Amino acid sequence: DNVSLVPEAVINAITEQIEDEDRIFNHVFHTGLNFEVAGTSTSEGAAKGHVRGKTKQEEAVEVAKRVLVPADLYKLMKLDHSMVKINGGVSSSAIVRYILREMPRRLFDTIDQAILVGGVASDSEESGETAFTALMPIIADVAAKGTYGNEYTPVAGDTARAFISKAASRVLSGYDRTLITTEDKLTDLENSLNGSFPVFPNGIDKNDPRINGIRRIITPRWLTAAMLGDYENGIVVDLPSYHTVGDDSAERMTGYDLDTNKYVWELVACIGGGLVNKDSAIGIKAQES
């Protein structure tokens, strides 16, 4: 009977994560598709006026294509029956409550990481761990300096507020621009000065940062300066230009392994995604000295 209480607790924990505004996954575009072949025009031609009686000029359109296919991303946890038993059983054990709360957070943290910087591993019996590539990392498109992303180096003398705004102006795919950076960089930004005057005298509201071109700021708890690499000041991205296919949430599975006497909890998201619009992201490098 106690085991029947487990799924409800997991659902509540998943809902908390999905409603978290400080989560990258919640601001990307969920297509509702099982897979997507995305095409974006790389042509820059403007519309032309027509002269009566003349033949219209034909424009050759070049299109970049990206195929989005989902794959399973999972979080699996097991607890010994004896450990659960002596701690109050499934319905009242503190360690079980911890598992049910932490599983969704860790799964969605992993999804966020895969979307932004990659580095997420897949298991493989044949060759050990391999990269999880169904979610194409934004930072890879930035570093490629191609169709979907590019980088910006702040000029000497600009305040942090100024160079973040200038970087945002280079994201041309839409106006829903998000600055994703580390907690340390946000602290530096909050305490930045323009001469002897604070740039943000009242601090920064991450949901209304008052930086021209920036809709919100996200500082994932797992994000480090090492993960950002060359883009130490963060990445500005039009998150709705990142499309995901497959699951919008996660499937929950529970069970009991009789061979090992262990309770089993698993969350699985079958998900894939990538940027699909031209000029969707900008990585901000270190400021020129």
Side-chain angles (χ1 to χ4, degrees):
D1 292 337
N2 288 340
V3 175
S4 67
L5 299 175
V6 172
E8 182 179 350
V10 175
I11 291 171
N12 291 338
I14 290 174
T15 301
E16 288 178 5
Q17 295 301 314
I18 290 177
E19 293 176 350
D20 185 357
E21 284 294 310
D22 204 28
R23 183 163 293 291
I24 296 170
F25 179 72
N26 297 339
H27 299 285
V28 302
F29 181 71
H30 307 287
T31 65
L33 303 173
N34 290 324
F35 66 91
E36 179 182 10
V37 180
T40 182
S41 173
T42 58
S43 302
E44 299 292 344
K48 295 181 181 296
H50 179 242
V51 177
R52 186 180 303 170
K54 299 293 185 180
T55 301
K56 296 176 181 176
Q57 295 182 21
E58 183 177 325
E59 180 183 354
V61 179
E62 297 179 4
V63 177
K65 291 184 179 179
R66 176 162 273 179
V67 180
L68 308 181
V69 180
D72 283 345
L73 191 64
Y74 69 90
K75 184 66 181 175
L76 174 66
M77 290 185 170
K78 297 182 180 182
L79 287 178
D80 288 326
H81 173 269
S82 57
M83 180 184 295
V84 175
K85 183 73 173 178
I86 64 177
N87 281 283
V90 171
S91 63
S92 57
S93 169
I95 194 168
V96 170
R97 291 199 300 272
Y98 171 78
I99 291 290
L100 300 183
R101 185 178 67 251
E102 284 297 293
M103 280 183 64
R105 183 182 71 79
R106 294 187 184 186
L107 178 67
F108 284 102
D109 277 356
T110 303
I111 291 173
D112 277 6
Q113 180 183 333
I115 288 173
L116 183 64
V117 296
V120 174
S122 297
D123 52 17
S124 172
E125 293 181 0
E126 295 79 16
S127 57
E129 291 186 343
T130 58
F132 181 80
T133 57
L135 289 168
M136 303 176 191
I138 293 169
I139 200 169
D141 283 325
V142 166
K145 294 181 284 187
T147 299
Y148 306 103
N150 213 319
E151 56 188 34
Y152 174 72
T153 303
V155 299
D158 273 353
T159 65
R161 184 176 191 164
F163 70 63
I164 290 170
S165 183
K166 289 180 180 179
S169 72
R170 288 158 173 77
V171 176
L172 304 178
S173 58
Y175 292 103
D176 192 359
R177 303 173 181 125
T178 301
L179 171 65
I180 306 175
T181 191
T182 63
E183 287 282 3
D184 285 348
K185 280 297 179 181
L186 178 61
T187 300
D188 291 343
L189 181 61
E190 278 194 310
N191 292 286
S192 60
L193 300 175
N194 185 8
S196 58
F197 299 97
V199 177
F200 297 94
N202 299 315
I204 296 177
D205 178 354
K206 292 198 294 184
N207 293 317
D208 185 18
R210 304 294 176 131
I211 301 174
N212 184 40
I214 298 295
R215 179 71 61 86
R216 69 185 64 82
I217 298 174
I218 293 178
T219 55
R221 71 177 77 190
W222 48 264
L223 184 61
T224 66
M227 289 178 176
L228 288 173
D230 290 340
Y231 311 112
E232 61 180 53
N233 285 304
I235 292 174
V236 180
V237 56
D238 172 24
L239 284 177
S241 288
Y242 194 101
H243 288 195
T244 65
V245 294
D247 289 342
D248 291 343
S249 182
E251 294 182 57
R252 62 200 180 279
M253 303 177 189
T254 61
Y256 188 82
D257 188 340
L258 290 173
D259 292 334
T260 60
N261 279 357
K262 289 185 176 183
Y263 290 97
V264 181
W265 292 274
E266 183 176 19
L267 287 180
V268 180
C270 183
I271 189 169
L275 290 173
V276 300
N277 293 333
K278 191 175 185 296
D279 299 323
S280 297
I282 292 288
I284 309 176
K285 302 186 75 173
Q287 193 166 17
E288 292 178 343
S289 57

